[in-house]
Amino acid sequence: MAEPYLPVYLNGEIITADQARVSVFDRGFMRGDGLFETLRSYGGRLFRLDDHLARLDHGMEILHYDMTSADLDLKAACETTLRASAVQDARVRVQVTRGVGSTEFNAHNEGVPTVLITVHPIVSKTSKPLDVIVASIRRDQMSPFASIKTINYLPSILARREAEVAGVDDAILLNYAGNVAEGCASNVFLVKDGVLVTPDIASGALPGIIRVTILEIARDLGIPAFERTVAPGELERADEIFLTSSAREVAPVETIDAKRVGHGSHEIAEKLEREYRARAEA
């Protein structure tokens, strides 16, 4: 549960969480008509903020919002909110909805957007590798929403629910073609014979910011890295599997569907995470 006195940014003002109020007629609440980004700060510095805002802009274009992150001055708003929180290492969430509208079903902009920014301190990261399952829920790789972060997260919520019922940490979703897409809120990477592979965007994988960062690091370190279709059988044959996200950074997977991944080694994942942290904290 959020701290009631945690500073939040709501529509141009810094207030405390217990003071924040959003209309019951907000399109985000009524229709799921909104977007979000989650990013990290290290030592009070926001990591790859411009990349997150660029992805948000892409989402606003797809949803036909008549604005951009620059129009909303979101870069300054994120930095101001982080400073107000006095938290150095944090998870920052930016959410934009189409704003308050009527209960009529329509698709046009009726008012000013609702902008909410929250900052949550990062708790110590667990060193325990993840146990995951392959979910029955599928990712629609043909959807125009596959490449953006909408606030309608129901498929991922249901997949995470399956993981919780199974007593594991997370789930991997296949797409409707039966190939690997992504995790509930993460990208998926496999290592086989020293080669790094991640599902391509056409497979329904979100173009994750940490995903791109890990691909850049791998190539800088001389690790062969490819984006392509990944068949589910490759999960069973992988030497390593790990998930990436702003919140989890690089999270090795120990078991998938109760079967040990490879020989239990996380050498490549650990090497990539060390370099990621060095760059993020620089």
Side-chain angles (χ1 to χ4, degrees):
M1 183 177 293
E3 292 291 337
Y5 302 111
L6 193 71
V8 303
Y9 176 100
L10 180 60
N11 298 333
E13 291 186 274
I14 299 289
I15 55 179
T16 56
D18 64 334
Q19 295 173 322
R21 298 289 184 272
V22 176
S23 170
V24 295
F25 298 113
D26 188 90
R27 290 288 295 255
F29 177 74
M30 295 289 288
R31 305 288 185 190
D33 186 353
L35 299 155
F36 79 99
E37 288 289 324
T38 300
L39 58 151
R40 280 288 305 269
S41 71
Y42 296 88
R45 296 182 299 275
L46 293 163
F47 184 64
R48 301 193 78 151
L49 174 59
D50 289 342
D51 293 331
H52 281 280
L53 294 182
R55 187 170 63 185
L56 186 65
D57 284 334
H58 175 60
M60 288 194 282
E61 181 178 0
I62 287 179
L63 296 188
H64 301 285
Y65 283 20
D66 298 332
M67 69 202 77
T68 66
S69 61
D71 295 330
L72 299 173
D73 204 15
L74 290 185
K75 184 171 185 176
C78 288
E79 293 169 343
T80 298
T81 310
L82 181 61
R83 285 195 301 271
S85 74
V87 178
Q88 295 293 297
D89 299 316
R91 174 170 53 88
V92 180
R93 179 184 165 104
V94 184
Q95 180 167 306
V96 180
T97 77
R98 204 179 299 267
V100 177
S102 70
T103 57
E104 297 296 323
F105 184 70
N106 57 55
H108 61 267
N109 291 350
E110 297 183 358
V112 297
T114 298
V115 179
L116 174 67
I117 303 173
T118 58
V119 177
H120 304 274
I122 291 292
V123 297
S124 298
K125 180 182 176 181
T126 177
S127 58
K128 178 185 176 296
L130 304 176
D131 297 312
V132 307
I133 60 171
V134 175
S136 66
I137 302 297
R138 296 294 179 101
R139 176 81 164 164
D140 184 359
Q141 75 276 19
M142 302 302 292
S143 169
F145 311 126
S147 65
I148 62 177
K149 292 177 74 73
T150 73
I151 61 175
N152 186 335
Y153 237 49
L154 285 176
S156 291
I157 289 172
L158 293 177
R160 180 63 65 83
R161 176 63 178 164
E162 286 189 15
E164 292 173 354
V165 169
V168 299
D169 302 298
D170 212 334
I172 291 175
L173 287 77
L174 307 182
N175 60 27
Y176 284 118
N179 296 311
V180 179
E182 61 179 10
C184 293
S186 57
N187 288 110
V188 180
F189 283 83
L190 292 75
V191 179
K192 182 64 177 178
D193 298 329
V195 177
L196 186 66
V197 175
T198 191
D200 56 16
I201 301 305
S203 295
L206 182 78
I209 307 304
I210 309 307
R211 174 184 182 273
V212 171
T213 305
I214 292 301
L215 288 170
E216 293 171 354
I217 290 171
R219 288 156 185 163
D220 289 346
L221 296 179
I223 300 171
F226 298 94
E227 303 171 68
R228 61 168 174 79
T229 300
V230 176
E234 295 184 64
L235 296 170
E236 300 176 6
R237 299 188 295 272
D239 298 324
E240 296 183 44
I241 298 173
F242 59 88
L243 307 180
T244 64
S245 68
S246 291
R248 278 183 166 155
E249 301 171 320
V250 179
V253 172
E254 185 79 8
T255 65
I256 182 165
D257 288 334
K259 298 176 182 177
R260 181 176 294 277
V261 176
H263 299 290
S265 170
H266 311 296
E267 179 182 354
I268 299 297
E270 290 169 353
K271 181 184 294 186
L272 291 168
E273 181 170 33
R274 284 194 298 271
E275 181 60 24
Y276 167 81
R277 293 290 304 216
R279 296 186 185 195
E281 295 174 355

